[in-house]
Coordinates of all heavy atoms in Angstrom, one line a residue:
Chain A
M15 N 0.8 -1.2 0.0 CA 0.0 0.0 0.0 C 0.9 1.2 0.0 O 1.8 1.3 0.8 CB -0.9 0.0 1.2 CG -2.3 -0.2 0.9 SD -3.3 -0.3 2.4 CE -2.8 -1.9 3.1
R16 N 0.6 2.1 -0.9 CA 1.4 3.4 -1.0 C 0.5 4.5 -0.5 O -0.2 5.1 -1.3 CB 1.9 3.5 -2.4 CG 2.6 2.3 -2.8 CD 3.0 2.4 -4.3 NE 3.7 1.1 -4.6 CZ 4.6 1.0 -5.6 NH1 4.9 2.0 -6.4 NH2 5.1 -0.2 -5.8
L17 N 0.7 4.9 0.7 CA -0.2 6.0 1.3 C 0.7 7.1 1.7 O 1.8 6.9 2.2 CB -0.9 5.4 2.5 CG -1.8 4.2 2.2 CD1 -1.9 3.3 3.4 CD2 -3.1 4.6 1.7
D18 N 0.2 8.3 1.6 CA 1.0 9.5 2.0 C 0.9 9.7 3.5 O -0.2 9.6 4.0 CB 0.5 10.7 1.2 CG 1.2 10.8 -0.1 OD1 2.2 10.1 -0.3 OD2 0.7 11.6 -1.0
Y19 N 2.0 10.0 4.1 CA 2.0 10.7 5.4 C 3.2 11.5 5.5 O 4.2 11.3 4.8 CB 1.8 9.6 6.5 CG 2.8 8.6 6.7 CD1 4.0 8.9 7.4 CD2 2.6 7.3 6.3 CE1 4.9 7.9 7.6 CE2 3.5 6.3 6.6 CZ 4.7 6.6 7.2 OH 5.6 5.6 7.4
P20 N 3.2 12.4 6.5 CA 4.4 13.4 6.5 C 5.7 12.7 6.7 O 5.8 11.7 7.5 CB 4.0 14.3 7.7 CG 2.5 14.1 7.9 CD 2.2 12.7 7.5
A21 N 6.7 13.3 6.1 CA 8.1 12.7 6.1 C 8.8 12.9 7.5 O 9.8 12.3 7.7 CB 8.9 13.3 5.0
N22 N 8.2 13.7 8.3 CA 8.9 13.9 9.6 C 8.7 12.8 10.6 O 9.3 12.8 11.7 CB 8.4 15.2 10.3 CG 6.9 15.3 10.3 OD1 6.3 14.7 9.5 ND2 6.4 15.9 11.4
I23 N 7.9 11.8 10.2 CA 7.7 10.6 11.0 C 8.9 9.6 10.7 O 9.1 9.2 9.6 CB 6.4 9.9 10.7 CG1 5.2 10.8 10.8 CG2 6.2 8.6 11.5 CD1 4.8 11.2 12.1
K24 N 9.6 9.2 11.8 CA 10.6 8.2 11.6 C 10.3 7.1 12.6 O 10.1 7.3 13.8 CB 12.0 8.7 11.9 CG 12.7 9.3 10.6 CD 12.7 10.8 10.6 CE 13.1 11.4 9.3 NZ 13.0 12.9 9.4
I25 N 10.4 5.8 12.1 CA 9.9 4.7 12.9 C 11.1 4.0 13.6 O 12.1 3.7 12.9 CB 9.1 3.7 12.1 CG1 7.9 4.5 11.5 CG2 8.7 2.5 12.9 CD1 7.2 3.7 10.4
Y51 N 5.4 9.2 19.5 CA 4.2 8.3 19.8 C 4.5 6.9 19.6 O 5.4 6.5 18.8 CB 3.0 8.8 19.0 CG 3.1 8.7 17.5 CD1 2.3 7.7 16.9 CD2 3.8 9.5 16.7 CE1 2.3 7.5 15.5 CE2 3.8 9.4 15.3 CZ 3.1 8.4 14.7 OH 3.1 8.3 13.4
G100 N -3.0 -0.2 7.2 CA -2.1 0.8 6.7 C -2.7 2.2 6.6 O -2.1 3.1 7.1
P101 N -4.0 2.3 6.1 CA -4.6 3.6 6.0 C -4.7 4.3 7.4 O -4.5 5.5 7.5 CB -5.9 3.3 5.4 CG -5.8 2.1 4.6 CD -4.8 1.2 5.4
T102 N -5.0 3.5 8.4 CA -5.2 4.0 9.7 C -3.8 4.5 10.2 O -3.7 5.6 10.9 CB -5.7 3.0 10.7 OG1 -6.7 2.3 10.0 CG2 -6.3 3.6 11.9
F103 N -2.8 3.8 9.9 CA -1.4 4.2 10.3 C -1.1 5.6 9.7 O -0.7 6.5 10.4 CB -0.4 3.2 9.9 CG 1.0 3.5 10.3 CD1 1.5 3.1 11.5 CD2 1.8 4.3 9.5 CE1 2.8 3.4 11.9 CE2 3.1 4.7 9.9 CZ 3.6 4.2 11.2
A104 N -1.4 5.7 8.4 CA -1.1 7.0 7.7 C -2.0 8.1 8.4 O -1.5 9.2 8.6 CB -1.4 6.8 6.2
Q105 N -3.2 7.7 8.7 CA -4.1 8.7 9.3 C -3.6 9.2 10.6 O -3.6 10.4 10.9 CB -5.5 8.1 9.4 CG -6.6 9.0 10.0 CD -7.7 8.2 10.6 OE1 -8.1 7.1 10.0 NE2 -8.2 8.6 11.7
Y106 N -3.1 8.3 11.4 CA -2.6 8.7 12.7 C -1.3 9.5 12.6 O -1.1 10.5 13.3 CB -2.3 7.4 13.6 CG -3.5 6.7 14.1 CD1 -3.4 5.3 14.4 CD2 -4.7 7.3 14.2 CE1 -4.6 4.7 14.9 CE2 -5.8 6.7 14.7 CZ -5.8 5.3 15.0 OH -6.9 4.7 15.5
A107 N -0.5 9.1 11.6 CA 0.8 9.9 11.4 C 0.4 11.3 11.0 O 1.1 12.3 11.5 CB 1.6 9.2 10.2
T108 N -0.6 11.5 10.2 CA -1.0 12.8 9.8 C -1.6 13.6 10.9 O -1.2 14.7 11.2 CB -2.0 12.7 8.6 OG1 -1.5 11.8 7.6 CG2 -2.3 14.1 8.0
E109 N -2.4 12.9 11.7 CA -3.1 13.5 12.8 C -2.0 14.0 13.8 O -2.1 15.1 14.3 CB -4.0 12.4 13.4 CG -4.9 12.9 14.5 CD -5.8 11.7 15.0 OE1 -6.4 11.0 14.2 OE2 -5.7 11.5 16.2
T111 N 1.1 14.7 13.3 CA 1.9 15.8 12.8 C 1.1 17.1 12.9 O 1.6 18.1 13.3 CB 2.3 15.5 11.3 OG1 2.9 14.2 11.3 CG2 3.2 16.5 10.8
Chain B
N514 N 14.3 0.6 6.4 CA 13.2 0.4 5.4 C 13.0 1.7 4.7 O 12.1 2.6 5.1 CB 11.9 0.0 6.2 CG 10.8 -0.4 5.2 OD1 10.9 -0.1 4.0 ND2 9.8 -1.1 5.7
R516 N 11.9 1.9 1.6 CA 10.9 1.8 0.6 C 9.5 2.0 1.2 O 8.9 3.1 1.1 CB 10.9 0.4 -0.1 CG 10.0 0.4 -1.3 CD 10.0 -1.0 -1.9 NE 9.3 -2.0 -1.0 CZ 9.1 -3.3 -1.4 NH1 9.6 -3.7 -2.5 NH2 8.4 -4.1 -0.5
N517 N 9.0 1.0 2.0 CA 7.7 1.1 2.6 C 7.5 2.3 3.4 O 6.4 2.9 3.5 CB 7.4 -0.2 3.4 CG 7.7 -1.4 2.7 OD1 8.7 -1.5 2.0 ND2 6.8 -2.4 2.8
Q518 N 8.6 2.7 4.2 CA 8.5 3.8 5.1 C 8.9 5.1 4.5 O 9.0 6.1 5.1 CB 9.3 3.5 6.4 CG 8.7 2.4 7.2 CD 9.6 2.1 8.5 OE1 10.4 2.9 8.8 NE2 9.3 1.0 9.1
N519 N 9.3 5.1 3.2 CA 9.9 6.3 2.6 C 9.5 6.5 1.2 O 8.6 7.3 0.9 CB 11.4 6.2 2.8 CG 12.1 7.5 2.4 OD1 11.5 8.6 2.6 ND2 13.3 7.4 2.0
S520 N 10.1 5.8 0.2 CA 9.9 6.2 -1.2 C 8.5 6.0 -1.6 O 7.9 6.7 -2.4 CB 10.8 5.4 -2.1 OG 10.5 4.0 -2.0
W521 N 7.8 5.0 -1.0 CA 6.4 4.8 -1.3 C 5.5 5.9 -0.7 O 4.4 6.2 -1.2 CB 5.9 3.4 -0.8 CG 6.3 2.3 -1.8 CD1 6.9 2.4 -3.0 CD2 6.0 0.9 -1.6 NE1 7.0 1.1 -3.5 CE2 6.5 0.2 -2.7 CE3 5.4 0.2 -0.6 CZ2 6.4 -1.2 -2.8 CZ3 5.3 -1.2 -0.7 CH2 5.8 -1.9 -1.8
I522 N 6.0 6.4 0.4 CA 5.1 7.3 1.1 C 5.3 8.8 0.7 O 4.4 9.6 0.6 CB 5.5 7.3 2.7 CG1 5.5 5.8 3.2 CG2 4.5 8.1 3.5 CD1 4.2 5.1 3.1
H523 N 6.6 9.1 0.3 CA 6.9 10.4 0.0 C 7.3 10.5 -1.5 O 8.3 11.2 -1.9 CB 8.1 10.9 0.9 CG 7.9 10.6 2.3 ND1 6.8 10.9 3.0 CD2 8.7 9.9 3.2 CE1 6.9 10.4 4.2 NE2 8.0 9.8 4.4
S524 N 6.6 9.8 -2.3 CA 7.0 9.8 -3.7 C 6.8 11.1 -4.4 O 7.4 11.3 -5.5 CB 6.1 8.7 -4.5 OG 4.7 9.1 -4.3
V529 N 12.8 15.4 -0.1 CA 12.4 15.0 1.2 C 12.7 13.5 1.4 O 13.2 13.1 2.5 CB 10.9 15.3 1.4 CG1 10.3 14.5 2.6 CG2 10.6 16.8 1.6
K533 N 15.2 11.8 4.1 CA 14.7 10.8 5.1 C 15.4 9.5 5.0 O 15.7 8.8 6.0 CB 13.2 10.6 5.0 CG 12.6 9.6 6.0 CD 11.1 9.7 6.1 CE 10.6 8.5 6.9 NZ 9.1 8.5 7.0
L537 N 17.3 7.6 8.0 CA 17.0 6.2 8.4 C 18.3 5.4 8.3 O 18.5 4.5 9.2 CB 15.9 5.6 7.5 CG 14.5 6.2 7.6 CD1 13.6 5.6 6.6 CD2 14.0 6.0 9.0

Side-chain angles (χ1 to χ4, degrees):
Chain A
M15 251 176 286
R16 302 175 184 204
L17 305 150
D18 274 345
Y19 62 78
N22 52 328
I23 306 288
K24 273 105 187 173
I25 301 168
Y51 66 106
T102 319
F103 183 88
Q105 181 200 322
Y106 289 157
T108 310
E109 191 181 306
T111 308
Chain B
N514 189 344
R516 187 184 73 177
N517 311 43
Q518 293 179 12
N519 188 29
S520 66
W521 278 358
I522 312 296
H523 316 305
S524 56
V529 164
K533 182 167 168 182
L537 293 175

